[in-house]
Amino acid sequence: MAFEIPRVDPLPFRVAVIGGGGTGAALAWDLALRGFRVVIFERGEFLSGTTGRHHGQLHSGARYASGDPEIARECMAETLALRRLVPDAIEYNGGLFVALDGEEAAYGGRFAEACAEAGIPAREVSPARARELEPGLSSRVERAFLVPDGTFDAWRVPAAFLAGARELGAELRPWTGVVGFDATDGRVTAARVRDRARAAAENRIEADCFVIACGAWGGTVGALAGLEVPVTPAAGSMLAVKGRLCDMVISRLRPPGDGDILVPQRGLSIIGSTQRLVESPDALLPTDEEIAFLRQSGAALAPAFADAEIDSAWCAARPLFGSALDEAAGRAASRDFAVLDHETDGMAGIASVVGGKATTLRVMAEKAADLVCRKLGVERSCRTLETAPPSWRDLYRGRAP
Ligand SMILES: Cc1cc2nc3c(=O)[nH]c(=O)nc-3n(C[C@H](O)[C@H](O)[C@H](O)COP(=O)(O)OP(=O)(O)OC[C@H]3O[C@@H](n4cnc5c(N)ncnc54)[C@H](O)[C@@H]3O)c2cc1C
């Protein structure tokens, strides 16, 4: 049976989304559902930026509950929403936070209180029960809490949104990078794009509103319009070994830091991550020190990680919200997001969405699309909470080579 998306009357406005990662994909879907004509530009393959390389943890928010209750609440709400909207891209396996020493065990009280305040169900279980649930877990576990974390497929969630947007008429333009903007009287009227799939042809694309959803590249793309988009790229490395050493997402019971989450993905176990600020989000590689550190960190949680065969190691750029952060500020930077109307910077017709997490891509898109509506004087509310997108498979089905 064909998948039917309930449609609304088309609007006479064209919106250009720049950046085909998870945020841009969710935004294209949201705008198309509201009736906008949408075009989305991605300079490479869709999802080839940070989105296609993240850890794959669908955050319940427990990780952030004590330090950043707002993002924790948001993660919990979005976890529930995504589980309902894109179930075939999610493995609802649950999460365990474990203390491996006295200091971490002592943090348990604050952790439990903060989760309760943020509305995240966290239930303490005995170390014996934790090891019964996850036999590969370290025997050093002193305290453990069950939380509703999960694993999701980094590609399939946004691929479903792209499939839905295209079904509603959105124009998907992979391999098409924005290389400049044209502005008249303080208003962006067109983007200049280079289409690498068509012999690098350069075109001028007009739209009523442009939204930069370029993650860690937001600063570079904003600069093309003379804007300062407050994003600092931070490299994060991950290490995957062959075999599932756990079925749940296992985290250290302590404030967020490096090498403290073990995520099972398909037939792999992935430990992550690290963080260091970088000049450019391009061509990032993990260092030998990071790989050695991650190997040790994985083994602390699941001892078999120490000798498991390495499958891969990679690095991706975290889009930290904030300009020119130093290392200390970068570590403390919130994982929350912001939607910026650049009319306040003297440039109309353009906005940015910055920061955030893959778990919160839908709500980031909702807030960005709300801003587009306000800018264009349109009253159309968000429909992405009540409308499931088609399957991610539909992005590829029926495509000519
Ligand atoms: C190591 C690491 C692990 C993480 N793990 C998790 C996790 O487990 N769970 C979670 O929820 N979040 C996680 N995150 C965060 C999450 O991955 C990001 O917040 C999210 O993927 C960002 O999506 P985005 O669409 O904003 O950016 P991106 O996915 O980077 O998309 C931006 C796109 O813009 C494109 N672009 C750049 N310049 C141009 C241009 N000139 N023209 C057109 N397109 C352009 C890029 O090619 C890119 O594809 C992790 C991040 C890192 C770094």
Side-chain angles (χ1 to χ4, degrees):
M1 193 172 69
F3 184 88
E4 285 286 338
I5 304 171
R7 291 165 195 252
V8 295
D9 287 342
L11 290 162
F13 298 112
R14 185 186 209 201
V15 183
V17 177
I18 305 164
T23 309
L27 180 56
W29 165 239
D30 186 314
L31 291 165
L33 268 178
R34 294 188 204 218
F36 287 101
R37 286 163 54 214
V38 177
V39 54
I40 174 166
F41 299 111
E42 164 53 50
R43 68 174 189 165
E45 184 63 88
F46 278 111
L47 316 176
S48 59
T50 305
T51 297
R53 297 163 209 211
H54 71 62
H55 207 160
Q57 179 182 10
L58 186 63
H59 285 276
S60 64
R63 178 173 174 76
Y64 305 109
S66 62
D68 209 337
E70 220 22 68
I71 183 82
R73 261 184 223 103
E74 215 160 54
C75 283
M76 185 66 217
E78 290 306 307
T79 259
L80 294 175
L82 290 179
R83 272 157 58 181
R84 192 164 42 76
L85 294 165
V86 277
D88 75 342
I90 291 172
E91 181 181 349
Y92 177 60
N93 34 1
L96 255 181
F97 274 72
V98 296
L100 299 186
D101 59 34
E103 200 179 326
E104 291 181 2
Y107 177 71
R110 192 171 133 207
F111 173 83
E113 267 170 36
C115 284
E117 272 166 36
I120 300 162
R123 183 163 62 87
E124 184 156 15
V125 292
S126 68
R129 177 66 184 142
R131 296 197 66 213
E132 220 171 79
L133 289 168
E134 284 296 354
L137 204 54
S138 164
S139 57
R140 286 167 51 205
V141 172
E142 293 188 17
R143 226 175 152 179
F145 289 85
L146 287 171
V147 299
D149 281 337
T151 302
F152 69 133
D153 187 297
W155 288 71
R156 289 179 183 176
V157 171
F161 291 144
L162 286 171
R166 190 181 56 195
E167 183 66 28
L168 291 170
E171 211 186 321
L172 310 191
R173 300 278 304 267
W175 301 107
T176 308
V178 169
V179 293
F181 291 97
D182 291 343
T184 315
D185 299 330
R187 168 173 216 93
V188 174
T189 51
R192 276 177 281 117
V193 302
R194 187 164 296 143
D195 187 338
R196 291 158 71 193
R198 295 189 183 85
E202 202 171 306
N203 299 301
R204 192 175 170 280
I205 311 286
E206 293 185 352
D208 299 287
C209 189
F210 296 83
V211 186
I212 302 172
C214 287
W217 288 266
T220 323
V221 175
L224 299 173
L227 297 165
E228 197 197 305
V229 176
V231 184
T232 301
S237 293
M238 273 160 296
L239 177 67
V241 295
K242 295 198 165 129
R244 293 265 288 219
L245 305 181
C246 52
D247 281 318
M248 304 169 92
V249 177
I250 314 285
S251 305
R252 292 288 285 267
L253 184 59
R254 63 187 186 196
D258 286 357
D260 56 357
I261 313 175
L262 184 58
V263 178
Q265 273 282 5
R266 299 198 178 89
L268 302 176
S269 303
I270 309 171
I271 184 81
S273 88
T274 56
Q275 183 166 301
R276 66 188 141 93
L277 302 187
V278 285
E279 290 284 307
S280 158
D282 286 314
L284 297 173
L285 287 174
T287 64
D288 290 347
E289 291 74 26
E290 285 170 341
I291 293 174
F293 164 79
L294 289 169
R295 181 77 133 169
Q296 266 179 9
S297 307
L301 284 166
F305 201 98
D307 298 316
E309 187 185 345
I310 291 186
D311 177 85
S312 46
W314 68 98
C315 194
R318 213 169 254 121
L320 296 183
F321 174 35
S323 290
L325 302 173
D326 59 22
E327 287 289 348
R331 301 230 156 238
S334 165
R335 295 298 190 264
D336 212 346
F337 69 92
V339 172
L340 308 171
D341 182 354
H342 295 300
E343 200 151 353
T344 58
D345 308 315
M347 189 59 81
I350 186 162
S352 293
V353 49
V354 293
K357 302 211 55 75
T359 300
T360 56
L361 80 180
R362 191 213 61 82
V363 66
M364 291 168 73
E366 175 180 341
K367 301 297 176 210
D370 285 350
L371 174 62
V372 170
C373 284
R374 285 197 299 279
K375 285 175 80 59
L376 295 173
V378 167
E379 284 192 20
R380 289 268 169 102
S381 48
C382 178
R383 300 171 60 218
T384 57
L385 267 182
E386 76 227 22
T387 318
S391 163
W392 56 272
R393 296 175 187 87
D394 288 11
L395 186 60
Y396 309 104
R397 245 178 220 145
R399 293 287 94 188

